[in-house]
Amino acid sequence: SPTGQLGRCTLMRRSSEEEEEEDYEPAPIREVEVADAGDARYKFTFAIVPTSEGYAKCHWRVEGTVFHQGRLPNSGDTGWTQVGTLKGNLIDREPLHRNGVFHQVCDDESDELRGIACLCCNADGTLRFRNLQGLDAKDMRCGPSNFGSFLHIERVKLAKEHRGFGVGPRMVDRLLAWKGAPWTFAAVSPFTLNDSRDDLIRGRAMLEAPTAEEVARTHELNDKVSRTFARVGFQQCGFGSEYWY
């Protein structure tokens, strides 16, 4: 990609032998630990991990962890405790241009990734500028975004007592700045990252309709989490869209 290569990408389906050997945890190919620039009591770790799912060698997992420094339970000593995680996907689009299987690679991972990919990109991985408010295909500065790696931030989860202090957005900001995860286009569905909303509806029957108060509170929480991602550079794909880039 224009910002770096993670390794050779091969478009090969897994053999039956490879599918049977899935009980091992692949080792990260890149790792980093970085301090939280906004609060010295936090630090983040990131790792790029290979995956053998779908079209092999074009898709890597992005894994992150949040640590907080404070009093350890039952000891009184000061130390680092894990208080959050991040999960994402990094897909090298360049080898997929010729085959036109970018949507298929994303579909192999999740419905959410497929939805974002189909909205933002063509089947060959190039951008669908007509769906991306604020981007212009004629603007030469947007050209590199057609190539290279597509970063999807799937999940940012924090312990309840550490929410509301900007830790999640700062973690995402540090990930975006990390050279070990080279990307030229990043996308997220902020509303799916809303842990407070999940807490609000937890315990309700699957088909039970939300109350008017819950609907209003959900909209309020969605607006809040969207604003936090806007602060680190994301913008809505279009009016009313659930996806941001």
Side-chain angles (χ1 to χ4, degrees):
S1 69
T3 52
Q5 289 287 353
L6 292 177
R8 184 182 178 185
C9 176
T10 55
L11 299 179
M12 296 179 61
R13 284 291 187 178
R14 293 174 293 167
S15 66
S16 57
E17 292 80 7
E18 289 173 326
E19 291 177 343
E20 291 174 359
E21 297 177 0
E22 290 187 341
D23 55 350
Y24 76 96
E25 234 5 85
I29 59 175
R30 291 181 184 174
E31 295 179 284
V32 70
E33 179 181 299
V34 294
D36 179 358
D39 190 331
R41 296 173 300 170
Y42 293 94
K43 67 180 180 181
F44 312 122
T45 65
F46 300 112
I48 304 297
V49 182
T51 176
S52 58
E53 295 181 9
Y55 286 86
K57 312 304 182 186
C58 292
H59 177 200
W60 294 268
R61 306 266 187 225
V62 179
E63 299 177 354
T65 308
V66 187
F67 293 93
H68 177 260
Q69 188 176 41
R71 294 287 182 182
L72 298 175
N74 304 321
S75 70
D77 296 331
T78 300
W80 292 96
T81 304
Q82 179 178 324
V83 297
T85 57
L86 177 148
K87 179 184 177 185
N89 301 281
L90 190 66
I91 299 175
D92 185 2
R93 291 175 292 168
E94 292 212 28
L96 308 177
H97 284 311
R98 182 180 66 257
N99 302 75
V101 292
F102 177 65
H103 293 163
Q104 184 174 341
V105 172
C106 295
D107 185 47
D108 284 348
E109 172 60 24
S110 69
D111 289 342
E112 179 182 305
L113 181 52
R114 179 195 60 196
I116 292 179
C118 289
L119 176 74
C120 298
C121 297
N122 300 303
D124 64 356
T126 56
L127 296 184
R128 284 181 168 165
F129 286 96
R130 66 181 183 276
N131 292 342
L132 300 171
Q133 179 178 281
L135 290 186
D136 185 350
K138 297 178 181 179
D139 188 340
M140 294 183 63
R141 293 172 298 176
C142 298
S145 299
N146 274 313
F147 307 95
S149 293
F150 182 101
L151 174 63
H152 166 232
I153 299 171
E154 180 178 342
R155 185 75 172 167
V156 180
K157 190 172 183 64
L158 286 170
K160 193 170 184 177
E161 59 270 25
H162 295 275
R163 301 175 198 163
F165 302 104
V167 179
R170 293 199 303 271
M171 183 187 197
V172 172
D173 195 38
R174 295 309 300 265
L175 171 64
L176 296 176
W178 180 35
K179 301 298 184 183
W183 59 274
T184 56
F185 187 87
V188 65
S189 178
F191 305 154
T192 64
L193 307 180
N194 193 343
D195 288 323
S196 297
R197 182 195 62 178
D198 293 342
D199 293 341
L200 185 68
I201 64 176
R202 186 173 289 116
R204 186 198 302 134
M206 183 177 296
L207 298 180
E208 184 180 344
T211 64
E213 291 78 9
E214 287 175 334
V215 171
R217 181 58 176 158
T218 296
H219 286 313
E220 179 185 340
L221 294 170
N222 284 343
D223 184 58
K224 181 178 180 180
V225 74
S226 297
R227 289 198 305 270
T228 63
F229 276 89
R231 287 201 296 269
V232 295
F234 284 88
Q235 66 181 59
Q236 202 167 17
C237 290
F239 180 78
S241 176
E242 63 182 296
Y243 301 132
W244 292 53
Y245 73 91

